[in-house]
Amino acid sequence: MERTGIGGTDEEAPAPKNPQQRYRAVDSHDRVVVQMASMEPGSSAAAPRSMKPGTNLGIDPRTKMTSSNGHDVPNVSQSDSKLELFGFDSLVNILGLKTIVGMGGIWQSLVLLAFCGACTFLTGLSLSAIATNGAMKGGGPYYLIGRALGPEVGVSIGLCFFLGNAVAGAMYVLGAVETFLDAVPSAGFFQESITVVNNTLANGTIVAGGTTISTPSLHDLQIYGVVITILLCFIVFGGVKIINKVAPAFLVPVLFSILCIFIGVFTAPGSDASKGITGLSMTTLVDNWSSDYQPTNNAGVPDPNGSIFWDFNALLGLFFPAVTGIMAGSNRSASLKDTQRSIPVGTLNATLSTTSMYLLSVFLFGALATREELLTNSQFLNMPNICRLLTATVAWPGPGVIYIGIILSTLGAALQSMTGAPRLLAAIASDDILPVLNCFKAYEGTEPHVATLFTSFICIACVVIGNLDLITPTITMFFLLCYAGVNLSCFLLDLLDAPSWRPRWKLHHWSLSLIGASQCIVIMFMISWTFTVISLALASLIYYYVSLKGKAGDWGDGFKSAYFQLALRSLRSMGANQVHPKNWYPIPLIFCRPWGKLPDNVPCHPKLADFANCMKKKGRGMSIFFSIIDGDYHESAEDAKTACRQLSAYIDYKRCEGVAEIIVARSMSDGFRSIVQIMGLGNLKPNIVVMRYPEIWRCENLTQIPSTFISIINDCIIANKAVVIVKGLDEWPNEYQRQYGTIDLYWIVRDGGLMLLLSQLLLTKESFESCKIQVFCIAEEDTEAEELKADVKKFLYDLRMRAEVIVVTMKSMEARTELSADAKKDPEEEHASAQHRIRAYLSEMETAQREGRPLMEGGRQVVVNEEKVEKFLYTMLKLNTTILKYSRMAAVVLVSLPPPPLNHPAYCYMEYMDLLVVNVPRMLIVRGYRRDVVTLFT
């Protein structure tokens, strides 16, 4: 049909296709507000409400229209009413129940109220339990959630909750101004012209007529809203004392208005009431018991061809904001004298009293008026301008009381939001998690003035915007997110049941907290899954930002307690039996400073952490870094704590998963013997000892290092610990230094597959991923070489390891090897020098023995067999020459660690080892232990 413009002429409109249809649908793009007159003579017309899908139904008390018969009719301007878009106070929430009862009927309204009431009541129980578990600082739910779920979760939910409270303050102000301008139209500074179209029936033809009227514009909302927000800001600046003095001025009229509504309901109907108001009637209650969901047009008027479809979820989204005020008391936790009493008493009493009031209102509305009256408010056609709410119509002694109550109710709610939001932001800033919020800090005993100014700025900005339809659903989600956080916090603390969990108000089981949290999430998705995803995404972004930029805070949160209990359960479930090879993980015990000079501020060799990471697959696993301080424990205890902090900081800096331990002992040997016995729990004991090779033993400490080195190796053998000694640690590559060539394994003795496993772990690192593995085996006879090679290949194939197998015979080892040009030392010359030094050392031993000073090691006298010493030295020479022959291009060489032979002095063993590693730049000397770490079977 052709639409009538402002001031346009009347044109004919086609009759509706459905003869029972009472209203013409209003298109969303109509430029005028249309009044649909009845198609049937004698019926009353209903005033439409301009409305978008998903917004709350209600009558916008702002504009006045004049019908063709001269009566005042209610209508709206083109912006939606803010009166019921958010959870204001109990009075405003009661006013919106008529629509819920009209659509859902009494029984579904009761289910709806019970569903929402259960959610808030369970949240109140969880809030009370956490709040009574100890002293509580400022921040309300943020403080409780942060201390239970950690600073990241607390800050992310806390900032969302702050934003919800700040924007809610603007919504309350807009609701108050809107009601005021409706009650006193002459107070508006600006006027807007809108057209009312009246469809009349003349000679069987529908004729559209238009009337142009004036109404206050959106600028009036903005001007009054900004002024009121500034006035409220001054009240908040006055502090809690001023707020407490002003609060009764808002609360008492609201309570009186609610009382007037109930008095009017019981005395209805009045003499001038419409036919739809029956008074309290059992017949009306029975008629309204069942649901009657009807499609509506954009104006909120029932229309069979309407584009807005109502169901239980839509009513849930309409009503739930009415129960989002339970955190008001906890938001002011810093100002409460006794939080452990005030929060549970106030929160639970408020929840129970308002829920009871809502339930009573459902029965009263259901018995007071017919369904048509509840949905269309057609009685307004014959009422004065101020009487546009059903409750205002029936209220005693007159409708003005209700409008005063609405204005004061919304202003009180705005004051409440502007009081709680700054304190919440100041509490987040005071925890010093995010440095960017430091400007909002408030010192103890002072008001958060900077945070109050910031909150007022947000409120004023929202008031200036005016239409916040796209923001308000997200704000509701923020409140639900906070409720879910409170329930999850209580659930986690109650489930873990740590010794410090002793709340005074523990009125329920942890399962109820879980039900409450689940209910909050379900309600979020029932209201709008789109806005739920948006709110969760925003909270996740804040969480991610806090994780990256925030400072670490240890508040003893529930997650750490959960990790601790999970670790204990896992440890107990592992038992004390040996771990199966398929589940074996290397747990290295890294000796940080056994020998060598390091600066005092460097707690560990810089490359030890790089090597420790090479022993883990994809970074998984734990390393234990330890160091030994010589001295008396009572005298060096503080030095040990300082050293432990430095070592922990070094581990974090190197991004290595591990812990730091410092031992104070009278000697290095005693300290290592202690730590190798007691370190770890159950199957989580370290299984590999890692240390650097003492390359500087000759020039640093000729007598002590050899004996300590031998003692450590023997202790590892006795304690059944594997040993990995790193030679060339200074040249060990970091993660950015890519290596080429081969990883050569000289597999001389059975080690349970540890050497093979280490080579595979090296290949998983970027620095060694371009290398290939070569396995060298020693055969005594040439005839055994092929058979040995085939057996080793089959063994490696079954282990899923790709490697080239090379068999070296004893005969080939005896052949002289030509030295490469880059060899620094001649092994033959080194062998001769070692022989000379050993003979000199043995000569000194004989002299000392003749003088009655025999060489003692391990409490026993050392008896030297010079022939065995020479044979051992020669074996090391041949093994070194073989390594130099085949592994000149190797990135790293792995070779079996020969155990210290009996009756060989520690000095001689160091000479053996020096001869083994000569001219090899990077070598891992490996000794396994009495068990397999790899398996052939799946």
Side-chain angles (χ1 to χ4, degrees), residues 456-484:
S456 302
F457 174 78
I458 295 178
C459 291
I460 292 174
C462 293
V463 168
V464 171
I465 294 173
N467 190 346
L468 303 179
D469 294 340
L470 295 179
I471 300 178
T472 48
T474 307
I475 302 306
T476 303
M477 301 305 169
F478 289 161
F479 279 82
L480 279 166
L481 196 62
C482 180
Y483 298 166

Side-chain angles (χ1 to χ4, degrees), residues 600-677:
D600 293 337
N601 60 344
V602 178
C604 182
H605 194 287
K607 294 297 182 70
L608 268 177
D610 294 331
F611 178 73
N613 284 329
C614 289
M615 301 181 67
K616 302 173 184 177
K617 186 176 182 180
K618 297 181 181 180
R620 292 192 297 263
M622 182 182 67
S623 302
I624 302 175
F625 292 78
F626 79 99
S627 187
I628 299 173
I629 297 178
D630 295 338
D632 183 76
Y633 176 72
H634 295 281
E635 298 176 356
S636 306
E638 292 300 323
D639 294 338
K641 294 179 182 178
T642 303
C644 189
R645 288 192 294 268
Q646 293 177 347
L647 186 55
S648 297
Y650 166 81
I651 296 171
D652 294 337
Y653 169 74
K654 297 296 289 186
R655 293 181 298 177
C656 184
E657 293 183 356
V659 296
E661 294 290 344
I662 302 295
I663 298 296
V664 179
R666 298 191 179 277
S667 67
M668 187 179 297
S669 297
D670 292 342
F672 182 83
R673 190 169 292 120
S674 299
I675 203 169
V676 81
Q677 293 181 74

Side-chain angles (χ1 to χ4, degrees), residues 157-172:
I157 295 181
L159 287 178
C160 290
F161 193 55
F162 158 76
L163 184 61
N165 278 277
V167 178
M171 301 300 297
Y172 295 141

Side-chain angles (χ1 to χ4, degrees), residues 505-575:
W505 281 70
K506 186 178 179 181
L507 304 180
H508 68 304
H509 193 256
W510 58 262
S511 58
L512 294 181
S513 296
L514 182 60
I515 294 174
S518 304
Q519 194 174 9
C520 291
I521 302 299
V522 170
I523 291 176
M524 291 175 69
F525 281 98
M526 289 179 66
I527 293 176
S528 173
W529 69 268
T530 304
F531 287 107
T532 299
V533 172
I534 293 174
S535 59
L536 291 176
L538 179 59
S540 300
L541 287 176
I542 298 176
Y543 179 91
Y544 182 70
Y545 179 78
V546 175
S547 301
L548 291 180
K549 303 294 184 180
K551 296 181 181 179
D554 188 5
W555 297 339
D557 56 84
F559 280 135
K560 288 185 172 59
S561 178
Y563 296 152
F564 180 77
Q565 294 202 22
L566 182 61
L568 292 180
R569 290 187 180 183
S570 301
L571 185 63
R572 289 195 299 267
S573 65
M574 290 174 63

Side-chain angles (χ1 to χ4, degrees), residues 155-224:
V155 172
S156 59
I157 295 181
L159 287 178
C160 290
F161 193 55
F162 158 76
L163 184 61
N165 278 277
V167 178
M171 301 300 297
Y172 295 141
V173 171
L174 289 175
V177 174
E178 204 168 339
T179 306
F180 170 72
L181 291 176
D182 175 73
V184 189
S186 60
F189 298 102
F190 301 90
Q191 297 291 326
E192 282 185 351
S193 296
I194 62 174
T195 299
V196 178
V197 178
N198 297 319
N199 297 328
T200 59
L201 191 64
N203 299 325
T205 304
I206 299 176
V207 179
T211 303
T212 303
I213 64 174
S214 298
T215 180
S217 71
L218 182 62
H219 299 305
D220 292 326
L221 282 176
Q222 296 169 336
I223 293 174
Y224 280 103

Side-chain angles (χ1 to χ4, degrees), residues 15-23 38-41 43 201 206 304-305:
K17 297 180 181 179
N18 183 1
Q20 300 299 323
Q21 180 177 335
R22 300 183 56 199
Y23 307 104
S38 174
M39 300 296 103
E40 301 174 2
S43 64
L201 191 64
I206 299 176
N305 298 323

Side-chain angles (χ1 to χ4, degrees), residues 305-580:
N305 298 323
S307 59
I308 303 177
F309 299 92
W310 289 87
D311 55 12
F312 186 83
N313 291 355
L315 294 183
L316 178 64
L318 172 67
F319 178 75
F320 191 82
V323 295
T324 56
I326 62 174
M327 297 294 180
S330 62
N331 286 342
R332 300 169 58 184
S333 57
S335 305
L336 299 177
K337 183 178 180 180
D338 185 4
T339 57
Q340 299 189 44
R341 180 182 180 277
S342 300
I343 289 180
V345 171
T347 301
L348 295 178
N349 285 341
T351 303
L352 293 175
S353 59
T354 54
T355 303
S356 302
M357 192 183 304
Y358 295 156
L359 292 173
L360 178 61
S361 300
V362 167
F363 283 103
L364 293 180
F365 282 131
L368 177 66
T370 63
R371 189 182 305 275
E372 181 182 0
E373 191 75 20
L374 294 174
L375 291 178
T376 63
N377 289 6
S378 60
Q379 79 280 1
F380 298 153
L381 296 174
N382 301 313
M383 300 296 294
N385 177 49
I386 199 172
C387 303
R388 298 202 186 110
L389 296 173
L390 176 61
T391 49
T393 304
V394 302
W396 176 88
V401 176
I402 302 305
Y403 279 84
I404 294 174
I406 292 174
I407 294 173
L408 294 179
S409 174
T410 51
L411 289 179
L415 181 63
Q416 177 178 282
S417 295
M418 294 183 65
T419 302
R423 284 159 174 75
L424 179 61
L425 181 61
I428 298 174
S430 299
D431 283 332
D432 202 23
I433 299 298
L434 283 179
V436 72
L437 300 178
N438 286 342
C439 60
F440 299 114
K441 287 183 179 179
Y443 296 101
E444 187 174 357
T446 62
E447 294 293 326
H449 294 308
V450 179
T452 302
L453 281 176
F454 183 68
T455 304
S456 302
F457 174 78
I458 295 178
C459 291
I460 292 174
C462 293
V463 168
V464 171
I465 294 173
N467 190 346
L468 303 179
D469 294 340
L470 295 179
I471 300 178
T472 48
T474 307
I475 302 306
T476 303
M477 301 305 169
F478 289 161
F479 279 82
L480 279 166
L481 196 62
C482 180
Y483 298 166
V486 171
N487 282 294
L488 285 176
S489 300
C490 186
F491 162 72
L492 185 62
L493 295 175
D494 208 5
L495 181 64
L496 297 175
D497 199 17
S500 60
W501 177 243
R502 299 187 303 275
R504 290 188 173 92
W505 281 70
K506 186 178 179 181
L507 304 180
H508 68 304
H509 193 256
W510 58 262
S511 58
L512 294 181
S513 296
L514 182 60
I515 294 174
S518 304
Q519 194 174 9
C520 291
I521 302 299
V522 170
I523 291 176
M524 291 175 69
F525 281 98
M526 289 179 66
I527 293 176
S528 173
W529 69 268
T530 304
F531 287 107
T532 299
V533 172
I534 293 174
S535 59
L536 291 176
L538 179 59
S540 300
L541 287 176
I542 298 176
Y543 179 91
Y544 182 70
Y545 179 78
V546 175
S547 301
L548 291 180
K549 303 294 184 180
K551 296 181 181 179
D554 188 5
W555 297 339
D557 56 84
F559 280 135
K560 288 185 172 59
S561 178
Y563 296 152
F564 180 77
Q565 294 202 22
L566 182 61
L568 292 180
R569 290 187 180 183
S570 301
L571 185 63
R572 289 195 299 267
S573 65
M574 290 174 63
N577 298 326
Q578 289 186 349
V579 179
H580 193 276

